[in-house]
Amino acid sequence: MVFAAGAYSGKKQDFQIDQSGHAATRMDVIVNHPAKPVVLMLGAYEPTVWNIGWTPGTRVVGILASGYHRQAVAGFSQSTTVMTSTYDNRGACGYFYVGSDQQAGLNPLSRKLFGRPVSMVYPATDGQIVIGAAIPPGARVETSADIRPESYIDRSAPKAGEAGLVEAVNKGILRKSNQADMQAWVDAVARSRPAPDTPPVAGQSKPELPRYSNAYVVLKPFTYPAGLYGAHSAVFFIPRGVPQPQGDPGHSTVYDFNTLRCQGGRCSSDGY
């Protein structure tokens, strides 16, 4: 039997497994189909670690993991043949991921590789997939400790998202910013521009400075953690003499004292 499973992404993790700059996600898969040997076609767009488990009597004889970014399989038995073919690794089988609008290529690829179509597609829910029959309460699930999900963590990359920022603060690479940092930026921008030849206006107050809750000052060479998008974005101040950080700031706002340029969606026409 050939079963396909997956989604655009699994449950987001705080680490990376490749150089895509995307935080890894995780899929926990339990296969419950003891009647016949099983081949799995697992697909996700985002870099994903697939952790495989099975019920007693179930035999997973082959796994094809695919997606756009790196796919890694853990927990499988040593008797299981595993192959990965992704866009990033230019795999011989091309790439696919499992989604509501991504089903068309599954049967042709399954027939080409395994001589039969996919028997059933199982979409993931928050990184959880049960393939086959529902798991009875208290049922034993087997897995192999030979290859653990944690073995795929890229130790050279910072943790992703908020965890990466906290780690950088703890290491003294970043510090939390305050309103004095924002005021220093406004003053620096003002000094770089000619004073306007206009008289002051009675009762006119200075514009209120922006206030950010997730803002940092870069103190040392720094690499932006993956996943700084949307609600997970941040604000960074780069003091004069501190090098431009590596990596992708995502949707974050960056105030660079070296160039007096503000980059990001929160920048105003006034430079802040």
Side-chain angles (χ1 to χ4, degrees), residues 181-189 255-257 260-261 271-272:
D181 299 308
M182 189 74 247
Q183 185 64 60
W185 173 262
V186 172
D187 293 343
V189 171
Y255 296 97
D256 189 347
F257 280 83
L260 291 182
R261 290 183 59 193
Y272 55 88

Side-chain angles (χ1 to χ4, degrees), residues 87-101:
Y87 175 86
D88 281 352
N89 75 6
R90 302 298 192 268
C93 299
Y95 75 98
F96 66 88
Y97 69 90
V98 176
S100 58
D101 59 346

Side-chain angles (χ1 to χ4, degrees), residues 173 217-222 237-245 256 258:
I173 298 172
V217 177
V218 181
L219 304 176
K220 300 176 182 179
F222 171 62
F237 293 92
I238 305 174
R240 185 176 295 277
V242 175
Q244 182 74 24
D256 189 347
N258 296 284

Side-chain angles (χ1 to χ4, degrees), residues 1-3 33 36-39 41 61 105-120:
M1 304 289 286
V2 179
F3 296 127
H33 194 273
K36 293 182 179 180
V38 171
V39 172
M41 295 176 64
V61 297
L106 294 178
N107 275 343
L109 182 59
S110 182
R111 287 192 181 96
K112 179 180 178 180
L113 296 178
F114 311 118
R116 64 188 66 194
V118 173
S119 298
M120 187 65 68

